[in-house]
Amino acid sequence: SGVDPSLSVRFWGWVTLGLAKVRSVPLVTRAFAGVTVLVAVGVTWMLPGWAASLVVRGLALVPATALGHPWTLVTTGWVDVYGPDDVGRLAAACAFARSGGYLAVWVGLGRWVELMWGPSEMLQFVMFVQIAASAVVYPAMVVRYGLTHDESRYFGPISGFPATIAALLVVVKQVIPEHVIGGEAWTAWGMRAQYVPIAWAGLFIVLEAVGLAPTASGAYAALGVLFAWLYLRYIQAREDGTRGDHSEAFQFRTLFPQPVRVFVSPITNIVHLIVGRHLVSLSSEQKGPVDPRQRISAMDAADAERRRQRALQALNAQIEKMDAYREEEEESSEV
């Protein structure tokens, strides 16, 4: 008996739809997603133990060898840390599942941000956050080893994936802060987009503290939020020639729930004194002297509205594509 022709048609229909979905993902998001998939599949299922360990240690941040492998400051953001030779196949499979979760969030948010910004700005933003976070984690782990002599954390690989996802969540907070994650059912919980980055960082800090998340994942998540906010607040070039989003709605304290903001405000002031004034002065020197209050008030209302419109356009485009794919899938299943 031969293969049912309808099954063959349905299979190739799924393959075509899958390829179309891959092609619909923008370049930067697709490239990093491809690296994550190749590493996760290879380390978990295809490579022998010694080769899997070699790949992980060649891409993840290892404090003991980071000076000789400087590229790991970046590549650690797209690789998970467990290899089958270190902790067994079951743990490697758990890491594979975790990588799948990271990948789903990365593709969903990364595609949205890249469609809104373009590939060059997306790449610059992600690289800045990942390198800056790694540049803090690396010396911190070296100092920790000097104090505790904990070799497992010094010679073991570290994943920076939480920082990458945290950075994209901060963009969501900037563009659509009042959007309710999960629909109106979450409104009572207050889980609006503006709180998700801090919730993400807090989750990894707690999980790492109880041993359910890899080493430094809490630090990477928190630093991802911090450096993404710094980039968007002071560094990102704007259409009017200025830099950063200086609106009151994007102050650092707005990342936190209302009861906590009174304690966070002093930290915001310190960050502005150390970093913000210097970066703002560099921007004003490029354009000539401009009163800071005029710059802030002139640019943010119109620019924020433009960004929101772009975000909504990107979301609508994704929804239309998903509807088209669903219709094609239904048609192929009826054949």
Side-chain angles (χ1 to χ4, degrees):
S1 60
V3 178
D4 187 349
S6 64
L7 293 178
S8 178
V9 171
R10 187 176 302 176
F11 170 77
W12 287 112
W14 289 338
V15 170
T16 302
L17 288 174
L19 293 175
K21 290 181 180 180
V22 171
R23 287 194 297 268
S24 71
V25 178
L27 178 62
V28 174
T29 304
R30 188 193 317 168
F32 285 126
V35 172
T36 301
V37 170
L38 290 176
V39 172
V41 172
V43 167
T44 308
W45 308 113
M46 298 179 64
L47 297 177
W50 65 270
S53 178
L54 188 64
V55 169
V56 170
R57 292 179 176 276
L59 296 176
L61 177 67
V62 180
T65 61
L67 285 179
H69 300 156
W71 61 85
T72 58
L73 295 176
V74 176
T75 57
T76 187
W78 288 272
V79 60
D80 220 330
V81 298
Y82 293 142
D85 62 320
D86 295 327
V87 290
R89 285 286 177 183
L90 177 59
C94 292
F96 179 81
R98 186 172 60 243
S99 295
Y102 289 153
L103 182 64
V105 178
W106 163 256
V107 171
L109 294 180
R111 177 169 55 181
W112 176 68
V113 173
E114 190 171 351
L115 288 173
M116 180 173 57
W117 286 356
S120 59
E121 179 65 24
M122 168 76 166
L123 181 62
Q124 179 177 314
F125 171 66
V126 172
M127 288 294 187
F128 172 84
V129 173
Q130 194 61 59
I131 292 174
S134 296
V136 174
V137 170
Y138 163 61
M141 298 305 295
V142 172
V143 171
R144 181 173 182 172
Y145 173 70
L147 295 175
T148 65
H149 300 287
D150 186 350
E151 295 186 355
S152 64
R153 298 178 184 273
Y154 184 65
F155 293 96
I158 298 173
S159 171
F161 227 138
T164 308
I165 303 301
L168 298 180
L169 293 175
V170 175
V171 179
V172 176
K173 178 262 184 292
Q174 181 195 33
V175 178
I176 46 174
E178 296 301 322
H179 178 71
V180 179
I181 304 300
E184 294 301 323
W186 287 80
T187 303
W189 292 49
M191 189 54 67
R192 289 179 168 80
Q194 61 182 334
Y195 304 130
V196 174
I198 288 299
W200 175 264
L203 173 65
F204 274 92
I205 291 172
V206 172
L207 290 178
E208 183 184 357
V210 298
L212 297 178
T215 300
S217 58
Y220 261 117
L223 291 169
V225 173
L226 174 62
F227 286 115
W229 178 82
L230 285 173
Y231 181 91
L232 297 173
R233 181 73 169 175
Y234 298 113
I235 299 175
Q236 187 180 44
R238 314 276 284 212
E239 294 180 356
D240 62 355
T242 58
R243 288 184 177 274
D245 181 354
H246 298 276
S247 64
E248 292 186 5
F250 197 59
Q251 291 182 358
F252 187 72
R253 62 187 180 88
T254 62
L255 291 163
F256 296 84
Q258 195 69 38
V260 185
R261 293 181 182 180
V262 64
F263 303 104
V264 177
S265 293
I267 300 176
T268 304
N269 296 333
I270 293 173
V271 170
H272 180 71
L273 288 173
I274 296 175
V275 180
R277 286 188 176 180
H278 176 66
L279 294 174
V280 170
S281 65
L282 288 178
S283 176
S284 63
E285 287 174 5
Q286 295 174 358
K287 290 191 64 184
V290 179
D291 186 276
R293 290 170 298 180
Q294 293 179 0
R295 178 171 57 249
I296 292 172
S297 60
M299 75 180 182
D300 285 310
D303 195 71
E305 182 60 29
R306 283 194 295 268
R307 289 175 179 271
R308 275 190 285 270
Q309 291 301 323
R310 289 180 184 175
L312 292 175
Q313 289 174 3
L315 285 173
N316 290 334
Q318 290 190 38
I319 293 173
E320 290 175 359
K321 289 181 180 179
M322 292 175 63
D323 291 339
Y325 294 147
R326 198 174 293 113
E327 291 176 1
E328 293 180 10
E329 189 173 6
E330 291 176 355
E331 291 177 358
S332 63
S333 62
E334 292 175 357
V335 176

